[in-house]
Amino acid sequence: QQDNLLFLWSITVSIFGIGGLLGSSGSRYLTVKFGKKKCLLCNNVLMIVAASIMGCSKIAQSFEMILIGRFMCGVSLCVPLHHQYVGEISPRKLRGFANSTSSFFWSLGKAIGQISGQRELLGSQSLWPMLMASCGFPALVQLVALPFFPESPPYLLMHKGDQEGCKKAIRQLWGEGQHQAEIDDIMKEKATMKNTKILSVLDLVKEPAFRWQLYMTVILTATIQLCGINAV
């Protein structure tokens, strides 16, 4: 009985990563096909559904609902859209800062989750469903606010070829003014991408020029995973 419980909780913890693997694997196709804004909106809906399922698991007396909710959270959170979208809609001088906020809020969210999970707060036997459902609150805020933001200007220009839509999005984000330099940068990037071969994962592994960078990325990522933060 004890071994079965340990196995179930291990699956509950690790299934988040399985969902994340699937979410990150399909992110490139989805973002090119539908755009980052639409994908983010769908992610938010998925997260709210996942939070609702996990929040109702105790009432339904179903641990399977926790498994399903954790899997859906993994799919939603691990599609690398937030920092891409924030970076692309930010002015050039703020782009580095905007991209760095992603890591900051990831760490802040984990810290808030650990604090909220204390037995004196939401980690008690009666309140833990509320704790598991709390991940839906930020998704709800973003779902309400995001429709007021335009689609990413680089996506509109590079993938849709909509130059007027790109200019309109830039004016909405950065205000009126001369933004031709930013548009020219996007056009240069588009021209560069046409002459650049996009590597698959297998091509990347086989390419000698990226071998040491790949080693460093794998080591850093593995170290983060093995430090125990996901289990926490």
Side-chain angles (χ1 to χ4, degrees):
Q1 184 69 23
Q2 190 66 30
D3 290 341
N4 289 338
L5 286 174
L6 182 60
F7 174 75
L8 287 174
W9 282 116
S10 300
I11 292 293
T12 303
V13 171
S14 60
I15 201 168
F16 176 89
I18 297 172
L21 177 63
L22 292 177
S24 58
S25 299
S27 61
R28 180 177 175 272
Y29 169 79
L30 293 172
T31 52
V32 172
K33 179 73 174 176
F34 301 107
K36 294 178 176 64
K37 179 182 173 181
K38 289 181 181 178
C39 288
L40 277 172
L41 289 170
C42 292
N43 268 6
N44 293 327
V45 173
L46 189 64
M47 179 63 75
I48 292 170
V49 173
S52 302
I53 291 173
M54 291 190 294
C56 296
S57 59
K58 185 178 181 181
I59 298 173
Q61 297 183 345
S62 171
F63 73 89
E64 293 90 351
M65 293 175 69
I66 301 177
L67 288 171
I68 294 170
R70 287 274 297 171
F71 177 79
M72 293 171 67
C73 281
V75 173
S76 175
L77 280 176
C78 293
V79 177
L81 290 175
H82 293 85
H83 62 279
Q84 291 181 23
Y85 181 73
V86 169
E88 289 182 2
I89 66 173
S90 302
R92 189 190 308 174
K93 60 182 180 180
L94 296 175
R95 198 161 294 159
F97 170 76
N99 283 327
S100 67
T101 58
S102 175
S103 300
F104 171 77
F105 282 109
W106 264 95
S107 302
L108 180 63
K110 287 178 179 178
I112 292 174
Q114 291 177 28
I115 294 169
S116 302
Q118 299 299 311
R119 293 187 183 278
E120 293 80 6
L121 297 174
L122 297 178
S124 63
Q125 188 172 357
S126 59
L127 294 178
W128 68 260
M130 187 182 299
L131 176 65
M132 298 199 74
S134 62
C135 60
F137 177 71
L140 180 62
V141 172
Q142 191 176 63
L143 185 65
V144 172
L146 197 58
F148 297 98
F149 287 76
E151 180 57 87
S152 160
Y155 172 78
L156 291 172
L157 188 57
M158 295 170 64
H159 296 287
K160 293 295 184 182
D162 185 2
Q163 189 163 351
E164 286 304 315
C166 175
K167 291 179 179 179
K168 182 179 178 181
I170 287 176
R171 286 195 298 268
Q172 184 179 344
L173 289 165
W174 306 340
E176 298 294 335
Q178 294 296 324
H179 303 298
Q180 189 59 43
E182 285 80 2
I183 295 174
D184 291 340
D185 286 343
I186 298 172
M187 293 298 294
K188 289 178 184 177
E189 185 179 350
K190 182 178 181 180
T192 303
M193 286 181 64
K194 284 184 178 179
N195 300 321
T196 303
K197 180 185 176 183
I198 298 177
L199 300 177
S200 66
V201 175
L202 188 60
D203 293 334
L204 182 64
V205 172
K206 291 180 178 179
E207 180 60 51
F210 301 122
R211 194 64 50 81
W212 281 106
Q213 294 93 320
L214 188 62
Y215 287 158
M216 290 300 296
T217 302
V218 170
I219 291 170
L220 286 171
T221 305
T223 305
I224 292 171
Q225 297 301 318
L226 294 174
C227 76
I229 188 63
N230 284 346
V232 171

